[in-house]
Amino acid sequence: MRKWTLALISATMVMGLAACGSSNDNKDQNTANTGNQAAGNTAAANEGDTANSGSTEPVKLRIYAQYADEDTKGPYDYAVAELKKAMPNVELELDVQAQDDGQKLKTYAATGNLPDIFQAGLDIINTFKKSNNILELDKYADDFKAKIQPSAMNTLVTDDGHIYAYPYAGNEVAMLFYNKDIFTANNVKVPTTYEEMMAAVTAFNAKGITPLALFAKEKWPTVALYDMFASRLEPAGITKLDKGEAKASDPAFKTAAEEIVKLVKAGLLPKGATNLNYDQAAALFHEGKAAMFLNGQWEIDASTKALGDKLGFMYVPAADAAAYESAKLTFSGGGGPGGYAVNPGTKDPELAAKVAAFISEKYAEFKFTQRGTPMVATKVDAPVINKFPPVMEQLSKDIPNMKTTAFSWGLSNPKFKAAIEDAAQSLMTGGYSPDDFVSDVDASISSK
């Protein structure tokens, strides 16, 4: 029975989206048949752009938003409370977002039931662009653009140069954490160059200390480590390989593989690193048995609880001091376009766009001031209620000027993604040469 239901829903979605996609040719009929105010109705909607946006008449807007746990309820409730103060005539009717990879929202679009405002990731943006179910926000976004972090512009503007959603989440990054006490107690300099990194590896091994804990059983941390080294010479890092704009045989990418192999052979990682999971690698670092640890910035909370003031993070070493200085604010990781989007068929697009931008801005404000995370898309002027941990405080100062590359899950070429994940993990074994790395990765790029 469930299969039949799913099949019916899928068929409805396909037919509906196909109808939406052809709406430019048959606009009136499509609208009448489906009741979909979105598809092909941009022109009609624009007629009402300013019809109600300046009015104080009560307006109800339906919004499709995450509201599943404290991490999503807190910022949403805060944003709605702030909206009541700023726009008391606007009432939001919440439609709780399903945890279904966008299937319910796609069904809404196909059946003409799309909410006025909805949360959209890049997948939804790209799908709805084709079916005219998402409003291009360029002409409404000047105020929001002025508030966004310069380093987070990639979360606002899509590859076609247009804006389709107002983001609240900023870029996330991979980081090299270290235990300050271990470095000090063993008289080891926090490395800024490859030479100093090798010296640290040698010194820690001599003391029986693991230099770097890496949960290389998962492939993304191995890609991140490779990308960290590659981005010292090529700011775009692996994204340039992903887009086919460079080859792994180019000096920046081959050098990164060579430096990692040297360090691994010198004892950078614990034995059997490619069999270590997060819990095992984190335990080495949290218990003071490893000097360094690689993870995303989301690790800050756990490592701060384990190490307190001993926790620090270092910028990734480079070939020399000049390269280190020029590349230190380039972080492996990043983000993509997404946030609150608007149905082009809503009665007052200008008002809906204004509300969507407001909700996104306040959502970020709550996460910044009350959740202690500076990883938000927009600048926040409100005072911080829950103070950042020291490492987060340091990172927050870098955010306005940081550049990002990509996490492996953000890569667009699936063949390259699979190849770089396998090759980067193999680099951590010490039995895989830089030439093998270059050959295997380049094969995936040429096949794009």
Side-chain angles (χ1 to χ4, degrees), residues 282-305:
L284 289 173
F285 187 61
H286 294 169
E287 295 171 5
K289 298 175 182 176
M292 296 175 280
F293 185 40
L294 186 154
N295 200 0
Q297 97 286 332
W298 51 83
E299 172 65 29
I300 291 175
D301 187 51
S303 281
T304 299
K305 288 177 181 174

Side-chain angles (χ1 to χ4, degrees), residues 51-60 87-91 348 351:
N52 298 312
S53 57
S55 171
T56 56
E57 291 295 317
V59 178
K60 180 180 287 188
M87 291 180 252
N89 62 312
V90 177
E91 179 184 352
D348 187 343
L351 176 64

Side-chain angles (χ1 to χ4, degrees), residues 54-179:
S55 171
T56 56
E57 291 295 317
V59 178
K60 180 180 287 188
L61 296 175
R62 183 164 146 246
I63 183 169
Y64 188 69
Q66 291 182 326
Y67 198 78
D69 50 30
E70 287 307 310
D71 193 48
T72 52
K73 290 179 179 179
Y76 179 81
D77 288 342
Y78 173 79
V80 171
E82 291 297 306
L83 181 70
K84 287 182 179 177
K85 299 175 189 174
M87 291 180 252
N89 62 312
V90 177
E91 179 184 352
L92 292 183
E93 179 186 359
L94 175 62
D95 186 345
V96 177
Q97 178 176 308
Q99 304 300 312
D100 62 354
D101 292 328
Q103 293 307 307
K104 183 177 180 180
L105 194 61
K106 291 175 183 176
T107 301
Y108 277 159
T111 57
N113 190 30
L114 200 62
D116 299 283
I117 299 169
F118 54 89
Q119 285 188 314
L122 188 56
D123 170 56
I124 291 293
I125 290 173
N126 287 334
T127 300
F128 284 15
K129 276 164 59 178
K130 296 175 183 174
S131 58
N132 297 322
N133 277 300
I134 192 165
L135 182 67
E136 184 185 293
L137 298 169
D138 296 20
K139 69 177 182 180
Y140 307 110
D142 287 347
D143 288 345
F144 193 87
K145 285 174 71 175
K147 296 173 183 174
I148 199 160
Q149 299 273 8
S151 60
M153 194 59 75
N154 61 310
T155 65
L156 177 66
V157 181
T158 57
D159 285 344
D160 66 3
H162 296 296
I163 297 168
Y164 298 93
Y166 295 114
Y168 51 83
N171 289 305
E172 296 189 302
V173 294
M175 300 172 67
L176 275 180
F177 299 99
Y178 73 100
N179 185 320

Side-chain angles (χ1 to χ4, degrees), residues 318-341:
D320 52 40
Y324 172 79
E325 283 300 324
S326 67
K328 68 180 185 181
L329 291 183
T330 297
F331 285 75
S332 181
Y340 283 100

Side-chain angles (χ1 to χ4, degrees), residues 2 103 127 156 193 201 235 264 267 279 292 296 308 326 378 380 443:
R2 186 168 179 270
Q103 293 307 307
T127 300
L156 177 66
T193 65
V201 169
V264 170
D279 289 338
M292 296 175 280
S326 67
T378 48
V380 179

